[in-house]
Amino acid sequence: MSKIYNSSKLLLYLWSVLLLSLLTLSSIFYRTILLMDGSEFAYIHRNSFVFIGLLILAVIIFFILLWFIIRLPSKVIFLLGTIFYLVLGIYLIMHQNDILRHDALEVYKSAKNLNQFNYSSLKQLVGYLYKYPHQIGLVSLERLLLILLGSENVKGLFIINLILSICDNFLLYRITDLVFKNSQVSKLSMVMAFLFLPHIFFILFVYGINYGLFLILLSLFFLIKFINDKKWVNFAGTLIPLILAVVIRSNYIIMAITIFIILILDFLRTKSWKNILLSILPFIIVSLLNGILVNSYEQASKVKQIDGEPKIAWIAMGLDDNPTYNRLPGWYDAYVENVYTKYNGNEDGITNDSKKLIAKRLETFSKNPRYTFNFFKKKYISTWTDSLFQSIWSGPNSSMPVEGQSVNGKLMSSIYHGGIAYKVLYYYASVILIIIYGGAMVSMLISIRNVKASNLFILVFTIYLTGGVLFHLIWETKSQYVYPYVYLLLPLTAYGLHSIYNVLPNKISKYLKKSSAV
């Protein structure tokens, strides 16, 4: 058992180094930007050597500034970071007109209508929740929030997101502290969390990502403790938030799979039956809860059966190269809506059409290796090198007048109309992204030197990242969906930065001593 455990751990470390190296190089040589024109067309730019040089200079300057910041006490850093988030967050919330768009708007309208016993969102074939029943968990949560806040209180939803973003940063700090047991590393994690600006700009995107991320962090906090002591309280603390996160946002099933892998690896070491129980219960309970929720909505709306769009349609769209809306390969191209309309919601018809499209695409891939490489290269780079991860694009965008979103104020207009402020934020975020990927890569390189003694838990971050990369290579992709994977790399980044701060000066000092001796 111990040999299997150590071998598996080593392979995962090696893979983590490879993946993080690829992400680091990608962020150095490429950058992706989405213009604020509402098109969701991702532009991939190959960085020039001048641009790379300036980025490296900016990274060095950032390192120097960071060195001074982390000399402050943890409480002071958290207080300053919280004030920064509150000021920026309140500014963002007060300078837009409280109108959501696209799926976030549909979720909000569904929750609002259901609270008024209006079941139009569950109407057969045309209702939003009838087509997309995976949103029922999120709608159920928003129903509760709207009861507490008021049905028209969109600002209240933004404020909840703002509070959760600050709580996230604190939880990430506590997780880092439990994993690495080093105050400097913990402080670096906190600083990087507050400086990772997509996290604050996403407060205006009410689509469940923030709710789920908070619950995932809470689950991971208790998971660390459970791995160490196997107490039932930490068992429950891991289980309950994880289940809620997956019910609210089904994409977090990747974290449930990640935790499953970690618990099985830990079982090889400890042989605790509680690991097996905790690893399988989330999947069973989530399945039961989703079934109960769907059934309750069927009963309330008197709809016989809510089938929804077959999941295979998203895979077909994710492998497609349809230039609809001028978007890049694998991005949203309306296939899921078109095929649903074409077959009038018939599950068998949609499934067969999707299978045919997938078979056709796989044949194209097999016959054209160069095209296949470029297809997945574009999809991968456009997903993981957008330094803002659509966080601003997902907010109020007046280029989409159909929903009537608008902003006011010079700074707000400059940010959300693609002005100077937007460009400054974009290039700043590019520097941060390189540091995140590079720091995480360094942490894994250092840890791999002593795999047996290293903390098993740090693999949570890279296994979860691996799941995200693989999932979005096959599924429909958007850079906004992958920001939680990058945010959860920050503890590794902090450890990598701390290692650079401590190891690099010593190496330089030794080199200078040898040079002077010669």
Side-chain angles (χ1 to χ4, degrees), residues 58-71 501:
V59 169
I60 292 169
I61 293 170
F62 182 83
F63 264 71
I64 295 169
L65 293 173
L66 196 60
W67 175 253
F68 289 103
I69 294 172
I70 61 171
R71 290 170 180 261
Y501 280 132

Side-chain angles (χ1 to χ4, degrees), residues 184-347:
Q184 291 294 97
V185 175
S186 303
K187 283 196 284 186
L188 280 165
S189 175
M190 188 192 299
V191 172
M192 290 301 298
F194 278 112
L195 293 178
F196 184 55
L197 292 187
H199 195 51
I200 180 67
F201 281 106
F202 267 123
I203 66 170
L204 298 183
F205 185 49
V206 185
Y207 196 46
I209 295 177
N210 300 65
Y211 309 142
L213 181 57
F214 169 76
L215 290 165
I216 286 299
L217 287 164
L218 199 60
S219 179
L220 292 178
F221 174 75
F222 285 105
L223 177 63
I224 302 169
K225 294 189 170 188
F226 173 77
I227 287 174
N228 291 329
D229 60 26
K230 308 300 180 191
K231 290 182 179 178
W232 285 110
V233 65
N234 294 321
F235 182 103
T238 304
L239 181 65
I240 295 170
L242 178 62
I243 290 167
L244 292 174
V246 178
V247 169
I248 291 166
R249 286 297 294 165
S250 57
N251 283 11
Y252 285 113
I253 193 71
I254 296 174
M255 179 54 81
I257 295 169
T258 299
I259 290 174
F260 174 87
I261 294 170
I262 291 296
L263 287 169
I264 295 302
L265 284 172
D266 186 57
F267 171 77
L268 296 175
R269 180 178 62 90
T270 62
K271 299 179 179 59
S272 170
W273 63 272
K274 288 182 182 179
N275 280 42
I276 302 298
L277 185 62
L278 182 55
S279 66
I280 61 175
L281 270 180
F283 302 99
I284 297 170
I285 297 175
V286 165
S287 180
L288 288 172
L289 277 178
N290 281 333
I292 291 168
L293 275 174
V294 171
N295 183 258
S296 67
Y297 281 99
E298 287 173 346
Q299 295 291 329
S301 62
K302 297 180 181 178
V303 174
K304 288 185 179 180
Q305 188 174 354
I306 301 174
D307 294 321
E309 183 99 39
K311 298 293 185 290
I312 194 172
W314 274 274
I315 298 174
M317 185 166 67
L319 296 176
D320 202 5
D321 194 3
N322 187 342
T324 306
Y325 308 128
N326 295 317
R327 292 175 183 175
L328 289 181
W331 284 63
Y332 174 85
D333 65 2
Y335 173 78
V336 290
E337 280 79 15
N338 293 338
V339 74
Y340 189 89
T341 302
K342 181 179 178 180
Y343 293 97
N344 203 27
N346 180 270
E347 185 176 359

Side-chain angles (χ1 to χ4, degrees), residues 26 30-34 40-45 327-331 374-390 433 437 472-473 477-480 482:
S26 298
Y30 294 96
R31 69 189 192 278
T32 299
I33 187 169
L34 281 91
E40 203 173 11
F41 180 77
Y43 293 86
I44 298 174
H45 298 274
R327 292 175 183 175
L328 289 181
W331 284 63
N374 286 328
F375 175 90
F376 287 105
K377 175 186 172 184
K378 286 179 182 177
K379 194 176 181 186
Y380 162 81
I381 289 173
S382 62
T383 304
W384 296 95
T385 66
D386 171 16
S387 58
L388 286 171
F389 297 100
Q390 291 183 272
L433 187 61
Y437 289 151
H472 286 288
L473 280 176
T477 197
K478 284 188 179 186
S479 57
Q480 67 180 209
V482 305

Side-chain angles (χ1 to χ4, degrees), residues 104-236:
L105 177 61
E106 292 296 332
V107 167
Y108 167 71
K109 283 164 57 179
S110 297
K112 181 179 169 183
N113 287 337
L114 286 167
N115 280 349
Q116 298 169 353
F117 304 103
N118 177 345
Y119 297 101
S120 57
S121 60
L122 290 160
K123 189 175 180 180
Q124 195 165 358
L125 298 179
V126 296
Y128 180 76
L129 289 182
Y130 185 87
K131 291 166 68 175
Y132 309 118
H134 63 275
Q135 303 282 33
I136 283 177
L138 175 58
V139 168
S140 299
L141 174 62
E142 283 203 11
R143 288 184 67 182
L144 176 61
L145 293 175
L146 292 178
I147 289 170
L148 297 173
L149 300 171
S151 61
E152 304 294 333
N153 193 359
V154 175
K155 264 192 177 63
L157 299 176
F158 295 149
I159 290 169
I160 288 173
N161 277 348
L162 173 59
I163 294 168
L164 289 179
S165 69
I166 295 170
C167 293
D168 290 344
N169 290 348
F170 178 75
L171 277 172
L172 197 74
Y173 162 76
R174 292 290 293 120
I175 289 168
T176 308
D177 200 45
L178 288 172
V179 173
F180 295 105
K181 297 179 175 61
N182 185 306
S183 62
Q184 291 294 97
V185 175
S186 303
K187 283 196 284 186
L188 280 165
S189 175
M190 188 192 299
V191 172
M192 290 301 298
F194 278 112
L195 293 178
F196 184 55
L197 292 187
H199 195 51
I200 180 67
F201 281 106
F202 267 123
I203 66 170
L204 298 183
F205 185 49
V206 185
Y207 196 46
I209 295 177
N210 300 65
Y211 309 142
L213 181 57
F214 169 76
L215 290 165
I216 286 299
L217 287 164
L218 199 60
S219 179
L220 292 178
F221 174 75
F222 285 105
L223 177 63
I224 302 169
K225 294 189 170 188
F226 173 77
I227 287 174
N228 291 329
D229 60 26
K230 308 300 180 191
K231 290 182 179 178
W232 285 110
V233 65
N234 294 321
F235 182 103

Side-chain angles (χ1 to χ4, degrees), residues 362-378:
L362 292 176
E363 184 180 359
T364 301
F365 291 150
S366 64
K367 290 181 178 178
N368 302 279
R370 184 183 291 274
Y371 166 79
T372 303
F373 175 79
N374 286 328
F375 175 90
F376 287 105
K377 175 186 172 184
K378 286 179 182 177

